Amino acid sequence: MMFLKPYGDTLNDGAIQISFSLPHPLNETSKKVSLELALKMGIANPKITFTQELGEGFSFFIIYGNLSHEIDIDSIKTSKVKEPIIDYWDINRLIEEKFNRKIVIVGATIGSDAHTVGLDAILSAKGYAGDVGLERYPVFQVHNLGSQILPELLLEKIMDKQADVVLVSQVVTQKNIHIHNLTQLVELIEGAGLRDHIITICGGPYLSKELALELGYDGGFGAHSLPSEVASFIARRLLEKSK
Amino acid sequence: MFNSPVDSGILNLPRDSINEARYLGKSIASAVHNKIKDLSTLSIERASLRMLGIRGANQEGTPWVNIFTEKCLSANLIQNGVLMILAQVCKHTSMNPQQAVEMVSENRIHLNDLIEVNGSKEIKKLCDELANKAYQNLSNKKKERLNFINTLSSGTKPYLYVIVATGNIYEDVKQAKSAALLGADIIAVIRTTAQSLLDYIPQGITTEGFGGTAATQENFAVMREALDEVSQKTGRYIRLVNYCSGLAMPEIATLGLIEGLDIMVNDAVYGILFRDINSLRTLTDQEFSRRILSFGDIIIVTGEDNLIKTVDAKEMAHTVTASQIINYYLALKSGLKPGLIGLGHAFEMDPSESDSFLHELAQAWLVRDLFPQSPIKYMPPTRYMTGNIFRGMVLNAAFNLIGVLTNQEILLLGMPTEALHTPFIQDRFLSIENALYFKNAAGNLSNEFTLKESSLMRKRAIEVLNKAVNLLKVINQKGLFNALAEGTFASIKRPENMGRGFAGVFVKGSSYYNPFLSLLPDNATDETEA
Ligand code: B12
């Protein structure tokens, strides 16, 4: 068994720093509360190293201490190792052989979200971080609808273009607007009876594969995703499906 | 308020290039002006109604000014201008403008029953009376505000500008007051996503927004009152900012004027490129909006930072400069004095490139030297901010240093958590503390500097300026509208007969009359050129 806990300069010292604000003026009470909170988090010997009165009945704290918790590494299960990347040539070849037609991909940022850089990074020929985008793959026919597309309109386009794959981006997450939008889209796709005919993928800096699956998507891609990862995922899914 | 010409030109820019840039800017701006001078828009008409003080909405929340304007449109009367029609209704019914608008909106009066609207002297006279009275009221309000401001200190430059964006105006108030107490001079309430696409102003106090808070007259008033209170408490006047952009641009300008806003973000080109708003519509709206803002002594800040948010900022720096020149001359034409034209730019180059700090510094000096009489709004790093908030603090410090060294007047403070969320209360504290250090410790640094003739920064600035001049030449030759249509900016093509809001543009009829057009200021001059 191997236990892991934070490290400062001595193994197992549990050195940790936290900072937060309290909706209470800076005084003996709020200081005491901040220390009690640290203790409740399992931080032993909490020391307030900095405080600031923020006005309007708020205060800010930086606390250092020693975390008493530790985790048994063997108890940790990670989602299985990353699926290996299928390379550009193989993707084109495999799909060509199997389908003998272009795979239609429709992409959009949905709802009121106007961020397109992430979606373009995956779709546009130029790609991201030196990795070419899906438009560059001869077997993919990409329709990038851009931003602020309402889920209803996206569904229309999916039907219109007879899409095989839909890629949606969500960047704004305040008040869980992304969950709302993504759920709405899945429900629409389901309602139209297309759920089994189309691969659904969502992405964005604050999304994860886990969240995507929970929301009913086939795949999800978070910060720093590469187009080649998305292309491999699509190819693998298509080939699995057509078995 | 903002009128300290900084000692001229540390960069010693070639006079010829500057003169050429200015000549081209003027030429581009007057061509735009010629093209739009016979146009009005539904939003300008609604703004004119709001200038009279018309407010409120029906049960469904549709503003009266929208319903009334639509009625004028469907009765085929809009080309006369809504004020002429309203005056006619008022005259026939002896109602005040608010009542008249509501009665028409609720179909209790039918516009088609009106005797044909013509330019009759009597109606025009009533129109003038209504507008003059409104103008007087607004002037008085403005004076009151000025008197209030004069009882307080105005703070020192650069003014520290922070945003609040909780989505809930009451939460925004707490965050804004805290920021002001900690040293912020300017508070901007960020709008909720997609408000720019609404062809009306939402109604009432709001507590639900995404990435920002709805811009409504009522929310403006809530925040203004809170900031006045904290201004009195600190003895420092705290300025309020909101967005005068999108489809309802002129109406927002009017609300800014009525509710005592100090600064408004205002840039039609941003809406054209990034929101697909029709170019004729929004440039016409912008002209009227800027005239309103200039009447209110409200500073505009332009959105050039956005031009380098999605492309290579170093390579495209000249587009920022070219756009600033165009914006400057468009603004002068709309009556804004140089001291009210807050040109925007940003620290967005890839920090991993060698000499990136020098290139940023060169750009900041270039803006400063090109517009010595204007407040410059400097925007912080956002694109290369990551979840490493500690490194983010370093970038923000570099930004602050450039800000004080080059005498930028409005510093929009970067937040360490830029890549994560709209600011938390403690993020603002950390950023204000960061900026105050530089203001205090390095505020006089610029007096210590001269650049050597062979300076890399000087070379870089001249290169950017010359590239900007070349771009301006292209735009001048094509005209701004064609340039937008052909994708000269950000490679995005926006034809003048497409895009959102185009249906709301109309040609003014021969009997069109709007007294505000002669009451509001236009054609300001630039004394540096006299
Ligand atoms: C550039 C930018 C803008 C530009 C966007 C221009 C454009 N055309 O996209 C402009 C200036 C217009 C903008 C506006 C706003 N923005 Co903004 N913006 C940013 C900024 C600085 C960078 C985002 C970016 O381009 N990243 C680079 C790309 C490549 O990364 P990415 O999006 O993560 O994409 C990668 C992965 O996530 C993934 N991915 C993304 N999408 C998809 C989709 C699929 C299918 C797949 C497979 C993968 C995938 O792959 C990509 C490559 O690896 C961030 C701050 C930051 N540093 O992150 C704020 C930020 C995202 N913006 C934010 C906000 C709130 C706004 C506004 C709402 C503010 C307002 N109220 O006006 C407005 C939004 C208007 C609207 N209607 O949406 C917040 C979001 C907060 C939140 N968590 O909700 C941020 C974090 C800033 C902040 N701290 O407030 N913004």
Side-chain angles (χ1 to χ4, degrees):
Chain A
M1 264 200 285
M2 155 107 179
F3 286 94
L4 212 52
K5 68 194 294 190
Y7 168 86
D9 65 0
T10 306
L11 195 62
N12 294 330
D13 59 14
I16 192 168
Q17 75 216 31
I18 56 171
S19 64
F20 54 85
S21 300
L22 288 176
H24 196 85
L26 181 63
N27 56 26
E28 288 316 307
T29 309
S30 54
K31 283 186 204 166
K32 193 77 209 288
V33 167
S34 74
L35 288 172
E36 291 289 330
L37 283 170
L39 286 168
K40 273 202 166 176
M41 289 180 221
I43 298 174
N45 318 312
K47 282 182 249 354
I48 300 179
T49 58
F50 179 78
T51 59
Q52 174 70 35
E53 167 71 53
L54 297 176
E56 290 300 296
F58 292 92
S59 48
F60 176 57
F61 301 86
I62 302 180
I63 292 179
Y64 274 75
N66 307 93
L67 192 69
S68 47
H69 300 306
E70 55 187 10
I71 300 290
D72 175 1
I73 281 194
D74 296 332
S75 72
I76 297 296
K77 285 181 198 60
T78 54
S79 47
K80 60 176 177 315
V81 242
K82 263 196 180 171
E83 288 179 349
I85 298 284
I86 313 177
D87 86 12
Y88 176 86
W89 304 105
D90 284 343
I91 289 178
N92 289 319
R93 186 177 49 77
L94 289 168
I95 293 181
E96 174 82 59
E97 278 171 16
K98 189 88 200 174
F99 295 91
N100 196 21
R101 68 171 174 91
K102 287 195 183 216
I103 297 301
V104 179
I105 298 178
V106 172
T109 305
I110 57 171
S112 57
D113 201 326
H115 294 88
T116 53
V117 180
L119 182 70
D120 289 342
I122 303 296
L123 293 183
S124 76
K126 192 169 158 226
Y128 183 67
D131 197 59
V132 300
L134 302 191
E135 282 175 5
R136 191 63 75 71
Y137 292 69
V139 287
F140 294 143
Q141 184 185 7
V142 176
H143 300 277
N144 184 345
L145 305 179
S147 68
Q148 300 194 328
I149 303 294
L150 292 179
E152 294 83 356
L153 181 65
L154 181 53
L155 177 67
E156 245 174 64
K157 296 281 178 189
I158 289 172
M159 302 208 273
D160 191 36
K161 307 278 183 216
Q162 305 196 328
D164 300 293
V165 186
V166 58
L167 293 178
V168 282
S169 182
Q170 286 287 266
V171 176
V172 177
T173 59
Q174 211 184 29
K175 306 229 156 71
N176 279 332
I177 179 90
H178 61 306
I179 308 272
H180 174 84
N181 289 338
L182 289 170
T183 309
Q184 197 191 345
L185 179 68
V186 164
E187 282 170 1
L188 285 171
I189 291 176
E190 220 144 18
L194 293 174
R195 187 66 198 83
D196 297 330
H197 304 288
I198 184 167
I199 299 174
T200 53
I201 300 173
C202 57
Y206 318 110
L207 293 185
S208 63
K209 184 175 154 193
E210 290 70 27
L211 177 64
L213 297 179
E214 199 183 309
L215 294 175
Y217 285 75
D218 294 315
F221 290 82
H224 311 298
S225 305
L226 295 174
S228 56
E229 295 166 358
V230 181
S232 296
F233 179 85
I234 294 173
R236 190 162 282 122
R237 273 308 169 102
L238 284 169
L239 297 170
E240 272 168 20
K241 266 191 158 179
S242 69
K243 262 179 204 153
Chain B
M1 175 165 41
F2 282 95
N3 52 2
S4 72
V6 177
D7 48 327
S8 75
I10 187 153
L11 292 169
N12 189 19
L13 296 167
R15 228 37 252 176
D16 297 353
S17 304
I18 296 185
N19 289 341
E20 187 164 18
R22 293 185 159 204
Y23 162 80
L24 290 164
K26 253 184 254 181
S27 165
I28 293 167
S30 41
V32 169
H33 192 76
N34 280 338
K35 178 132 187 166
I36 63 177
K37 68 179 190 307
D38 298 327
L39 303 178
S40 182
T41 71
L42 298 185
S43 41
I44 290 177
E45 299 303 316
R46 299 195 303 256
S48 306
L49 292 170
R50 286 188 187 272
M51 294 277 278
L52 296 185
I54 313 268
R55 60 187 295 177
N58 71 5
Q59 297 262 307
E60 287 86 60
T62 310
W64 298 124
V65 295
N66 281 67
I67 308 178
F68 184 82
T69 307
E70 289 297 329
K71 299 267 179 216
C72 295
L73 184 68
S74 47
N76 231 336
L77 294 168
I78 194 84
Q79 65 284 0
N80 300 289
V82 288
L83 295 186
M84 283 296 276
I85 299 159
L86 179 60
Q88 182 123 336
V89 178
C90 290
K91 187 166 171 305
H92 276 259
T93 59
S94 317
M95 284 189 286
N96 69 32
Q98 178 80 34
Q99 291 168 327
V101 165
E102 290 185 25
M103 293 296 261
V104 171
S105 300
E106 303 225 283
N107 292 323
R108 317 249 300 264
I109 298 172
H110 293 281
L111 291 179
N112 289 326
D113 298 347
L114 291 179
I115 321 165
E116 125 218 37
V117 185
N118 51 31
S120 105
K121 271 211 180 113
E122 245 177 304
I123 304 289
K124 263 195 174 161
K125 204 174 134 229
L126 181 54
C127 222
D128 283 336
E129 276 168 27
L130 292 174
N132 283 330
K133 198 171 128 213
Y135 189 83
Q136 209 43 56
N137 282 341
L138 290 166
S139 299
N140 293 341
K141 245 188 149 152
K142 187 176 117 184
K143 270 186 217 126
E144 245 171 71
R145 174 135 293 272
L146 255 160
N147 289 340
F148 173 70
I149 295 173
N150 286 336
T151 63
L152 299 162
S153 139
S154 184
T156 56
K157 290 172 199 168
Y159 296 120
L160 309 187
Y161 176 132
V162 296
I163 67 166
V164 297
T166 67
N168 176 335
I169 190 68
Y170 295 117
E171 212 64 47
D172 284 346
V173 159
K174 295 184 210 161
Q175 303 247 338
K177 284 172 134 180
S178 153
L181 291 169
L182 292 166
D185 302 294
I186 303 177
I187 305 289
V189 182
I190 303 298
R191 291 203 299 194
T192 181
T193 53
Q195 182 165 359
S196 56
L197 305 185
L198 301 182
D199 208 345
Y200 63 91
I201 308 274
Q203 187 67 20
I205 290 175
T206 68
T207 53
E208 276 254 318
F210 306 103
T213 306
T216 69
Q217 182 164 7
E218 294 74 16
N219 284 346
F220 283 7
V222 168
M223 186 55 87
R224 179 75 272 171
E225 194 188 326
L227 293 188
D228 284 354
E229 198 186 305
V230 76
S231 296
Q232 250 154 349
K233 196 162 159 187
T234 59
R236 214 159 26 93
Y237 181 60
I238 308 296
R239 296 176 175 79
L240 176 58
V241 185
N242 211 297
Y243 288 70
C244 180
S245 57
L247 287 169
M249 187 193 278
E251 294 183 83
I252 285 274
T254 311
L255 298 187
L257 175 69
I258 297 173
E259 299 301 338
L261 271 74
D262 304 281
I263 301 177
M264 300 204 91
V265 184
N266 177 252
D267 198 336
V269 172
Y270 173 74
I272 298 167
L273 295 179
F274 300 109
R275 294 289 178 276
D276 195 12
I277 297 179
N278 174 261
S279 55
L280 276 174
R281 163 72 180 262
T282 190
L283 280 159
T284 308
D285 281 348
Q286 178 173 274
E287 151 85 6
F288 193 72
S289 304
R290 288 184 174 181
R291 294 184 65 187
I292 295 172
L293 298 175
S294 103
F295 167 48
D297 275 333
I298 296 173
I299 292 173
I300 61 160
V301 290
T302 57
E304 280 80 4
D305 51 296
N306 294 297
L307 295 175
I308 46 170
K309 284 243 185 205
T310 57
V311 296
D312 185 325
K314 186 179 157 201
E315 195 185 310
M316 302 305 275
H318 64 287
T319 61
V320 169
T321 311
S323 168
Q324 286 167 337
I325 300 260
I326 297 173
N327 250 323
Y328 184 78
Y329 286 100
L330 283 173
L332 280 178
K333 266 234 162 286
S334 315
L336 287 161
K337 296 187 201 80
L340 293 176
I341 308 173
L343 296 152
H345 72 124
F347 181 110
E348 290 283 20
M349 293 182 211
D350 183 347
S352 69
E353 278 191 25
S354 62
D355 289 334
S356 67
F357 182 83
L358 277 67
H359 291 132
E360 294 287 6
L361 186 51
Q363 186 71 19
W365 257 322
L366 173 62
V367 184
R368 183 66 286 173
D369 284 3
L370 280 178
F371 307 100
Q373 292 181 300
S374 293
I376 306 298
K377 182 205 189 195
Y378 195 26
M379 304 278 285
T382 64
R383 298 172 62 180
Y384 291 95
M385 296 295 278
T386 67
N388 183 350
I389 54 173
F390 304 104
R391 163 144 161 117
M393 291 295 281
V394 175
L395 286 184
N396 285 334
F399 162 82
N400 288 333
L401 176 58
I402 293 183
V404 297
L405 176 54
T406 58
N407 294 307
Q408 309 284 315
E409 288 179 35
I410 303 175
L411 269 193
L412 194 152
L413 301 189
M415 297 288 140
T417 52
E418 167 63 32
L420 308 178
H421 47 239
T422 50
F424 286 172
I425 196 164
Q426 64 264 35
D427 300 334
R428 255 181 242 100
F429 156 66
L430 293 167
S431 297
I432 291 169
E433 189 187 48
N434 182 337
L436 284 175
Y437 163 72
F438 284 98
K439 247 179 102 160
N440 181 49
N444 293 318
L445 190 56
S446 66
N447 303 332
E448 303 287 318
F449 263 82
T450 50
L451 285 185
K452 23 177 216 196
E453 194 57 30
S454 63
S455 146
L456 186 128
M457 290 187 280
R458 181 165 184 267
K459 263 193 221 138
R460 163 73 188 173
I462 293 174
E463 177 196 318
V464 172
L465 175 59
N466 288 338
K467 272 173 93 176
V469 168
N470 288 337
L471 178 58
L472 287 168
K473 276 187 198 153
V474 174
I475 297 169
N476 186 43
Q477 203 185 10
K478 296 181 176 172
L480 183 62
F481 288 96
N482 290 334
L484 287 163
E486 291 172 21
T488 308
F489 292 100
S491 308
I492 300 171
K493 295 183 180 163
R494 299 297 190 205
E496 73 182 54
N497 58 353
M498 277 160 72
R500 298 178 165 116
F502 180 52
V505 182
F506 65 92
V507 179
K508 292 183 268 194
S510 54
S511 53
Y512 181 91
Y513 188 63
N514 182 344
F516 287 118
L517 290 178
S518 38
L519 287 169
L520 294 171
D522 64 357
N523 283 321
T525 48
D526 178 349
E527 294 99 50
T528 49
E529 291 182 28

